[in-house]
Amino acid sequence: MSKRANTEPSAASRVGNAKVMNRLELTRRLIATLKGGEAVIGGIGNTNFDLWAAGQRPQNFYMLGSMGLAFPIALGVAIAQPQRRVIALEGDGSLLMQLGCLSTIASFPSNLTLILMDNGIYQITGGRPTPAAARSDVVAIAQDCGLAASAWAEDEEDFVRRSAAAVAADKPTLIAVRIDDSPGVGKPVRDPAQIRERFKRGIGVRA
Ligand SMILES: Cc1ncc(C[n+]2csc(CCOP(=O)(O)OP(=O)(O)O)c2C)c(N)n1
């Protein structure tokens, strides 16, 4: 594990006793709890790769290209389909690109759950620490933005419990997890039109 990842005391102190976990393991556990129709939006890079590796559901959307768009795209899906539960997976560096979306999301009565995979680094582009890594608590930020029930998951079982409760709730919530610096595993097809069309069929807006 890199010395810059979530092993430094400064990072540990801002997230309490949360265990350092593995993105793929958590993604698999999350997918295993789903009932079937939930839309799942993966962010650019590793969250996307591990979502692909956890099983290629037609209700999954794999963001390519720009950081920070998983949560905003998921908000759009949640607004368009209020009966559907929507879950978005994003990296901590990517969220920094669109931090304001948390306030926007909190202002909608929403069927949306946000999962924040926090390794403290921009893993996929070389592992540099994010500017927030040593000083900012993303759960405190989310709570102050209005996502009041947001929380750190302490371990894998706590993650499953908290994410299932958040998905079932009628308000948007962010669940953050500390993760290690493992790269994502899957290799999603890099064809935006194909990803879009499959997702549209998966959520019933394309025959
Ligand atoms: C707007 C934008 N800036 C920069 C990049 C290049 N880039 C792609 S992924 C990435 C790092 C992502 O970091 P994070 O979201 O923390 O995920 P991790 O790689 O740590 O899993 C960067 C800098 C990009 N794709 N889009």
Side-chain angles (χ1 to χ4, degrees):
M1 183 181 292
S2 146
K3 279 189 288 186
R4 290 180 304 225
N6 259 332
T7 51
E8 296 180 356
S10 53
S13 62
R14 82 196 153 88
V15 295
N17 295 319
K19 178 183 171 187
V20 177
M21 295 175 269
N22 176 264
R23 187 189 315 97
L24 178 58
E25 166 72 14
L26 294 173
T27 306
R28 283 188 171 138
R29 287 188 185 228
L30 174 74
I31 297 298
T33 67
L34 301 184
K35 297 188 170 61
E38 300 90 340
V40 184
I41 316 299
I44 179 177
N46 287 323
T47 50
N48 200 330
F49 298 168
D50 283 344
L51 178 60
W52 182 272
Q56 293 151 45
R57 306 164 61 250
Q59 298 86 4
N60 290 355
F61 182 82
Y62 308 93
M63 177 60 206
L64 302 177
S66 286
M67 296 164 73
L69 293 185
F71 290 176
I73 289 171
L75 174 62
V77 175
I79 292 170
Q81 297 200 339
Q83 304 311 320
R84 189 181 299 279
R85 300 287 160 172
V86 182
I87 302 158
L89 311 170
E90 188 67 290
D92 55 329
S94 293
L95 178 59
L96 289 179
M97 293 280 184
Q98 285 287 357
L99 209 49
C101 78
L102 297 178
S103 293
T104 309
I105 288 168
S107 71
F108 283 88
S110 178
N111 40 323
L112 175 55
T113 299
L114 311 174
I115 308 291
L116 198 272
M117 302 283 188
D118 183 356
N119 53 15
I121 56 175
Y122 299 106
Q123 194 281 330
I124 205 168
T125 49
R128 289 177 65 85
T130 75
R135 59 179 70 92
S136 309
D137 181 333
V138 71
V139 167
I141 293 170
Q143 289 171 344
D144 278 357
C145 286
L147 300 165
S150 298
W152 287 98
E154 296 294 324
D155 56 25
E156 288 84 355
E157 287 71 33
D158 192 41
F159 171 71
V160 168
R161 213 166 28 242
R162 286 185 184 279
S163 52
V167 170
D170 284 326
K171 58 187 173 187
T173 298
L174 181 143
I175 305 298
V177 288
R178 297 176 72 200
I179 58 162
D180 61 30
D181 62 353
S182 303
V185 169
K187 291 270 176 286
V189 54
R190 295 190 67 80
D191 181 340
Q194 192 179 324
I195 291 170
R196 182 194 63 214
E197 291 307 307
R198 185 167 186 245
F199 180 65
K200 281 187 161 182
R201 283 195 299 275
I203 61 168
V205 294
R206 193 76 101 222

